[in-house]
Each structure stands twice: as structure tokens, then as C-alpha cells.
Amino acid sequence: SAPTRCAAGTYQNKIRALTADECKDCPISTFNPSKGQPRCLPCGASAKTTITGATICECIGANRAFQASDQSCICAPGFEFFHEDTIPLSEEDGRADCQEYVYERCQPGERRNVDGNCIAPDCDSECKLGGQFLDSVGLCSCRVLTFSEQLCDLDCRAGQMLGNIAFLLNNNLEPIQS
């Protein structure tokens, strides 16, 4: 029969396992996010699992996000951590709790951009055809042309046709007959 790939959260270091029964759960403090792996990965110093068969680890510090790629725990989006010397360590691996980032209050008419800064958005000047500011992402949503006629109307296309014919004639080429 055909070999079986072990499910995520399990492993099998034997070549060509035939049944899922041959797969073993990842031990506590290890994980496996992918199918068909020969071993489980350690959670790292800042994360853990409390069950066998884990597909991801849990960060020890609150408001941290586990990074399976390097088994680290960095502050989740919208959270930050500062060392006692006020050195920002939000993107560094750690076990300490991350605190919610507190944004300054924006002035009337200002909105928060994608970086969290207060701005007075001007989507009409930022976008050629105008647009509207989307608070949910902190960016302008620009209007776009959807039909080729809006990009190049009948006069434009006629000019293109004349330009193509002139090119062919100037280069002694014969137009393609359809």
C-alpha cells in the first residue's frame, strides 16, 4: 500500500510509514506545524505546550505571538515591551508580558494611518482619480478605472490605429491581412 504522511502535530522518523498508527504525537514542549515530518521542533525558551501533539506553541508572556519560523515570541501587533532602560524590545524574543500600545489622541479632522500616526488624510491629492480614507487599514482607497474605454476612448484608439499603420509604412512592413 502507499506510504502515509503523518498529520501536523505528529512525526515519524521511519522511512515510508504505511499507516497513521505509526505516527507519534509530538512530546510536550515541542510542536510540528506541517504534515509528513521526521521530527518535532522545540518550542524555545519563551514558549511551551501543555499537551502532546501540538501544531504550535503558546508564548509564556501575555500578548506575545509565537513565531514558528524561529521558535520565538515577539509582541503581538498593537502591543509593546520596553526594557527597564526604556529600550524598545517588542520585536525581540522574550517571556515578559507585552503591554497594549497607547496611541496619542488625534486632533479633530485627523485620522490614524497604517503606522499609527495622526494625519489629515488627503486622498484626492494622493490618488489621481480621488479616493476615500479607510480607517480600518489607515490608507487611502483610490478610485481606479475599470473599463478600457475610460483609459482610451474612441479617438484615442483611432490615433493608436493610425500610429500603428504609420509605423508599418515607415518600416516597409506589410499589414497583416485577416
Side-chain angles (χ1 to χ4, degrees), residues 31-61:
F31 76 107
N32 184 0
S34 306
K35 290 183 195 177
Q37 299 302 306
R39 62 184 167 78
C40 298
L41 302 169
C43 287
S46 57
K48 64 179 178 163
T49 65
T50 56
I51 59 167
T52 61
T55 58
I56 195 154
C57 298
E58 262 180 62
C59 292
I60 293 168

Side-chain angles (χ1 to χ4, degrees), residues 152-166:
C152 189
D153 62 12
L154 286 174
D155 291 336
C156 172
R157 287 196 299 274
Q160 285 179 330
M161 182 64 79
L162 291 175
N164 290 342
I165 291 171

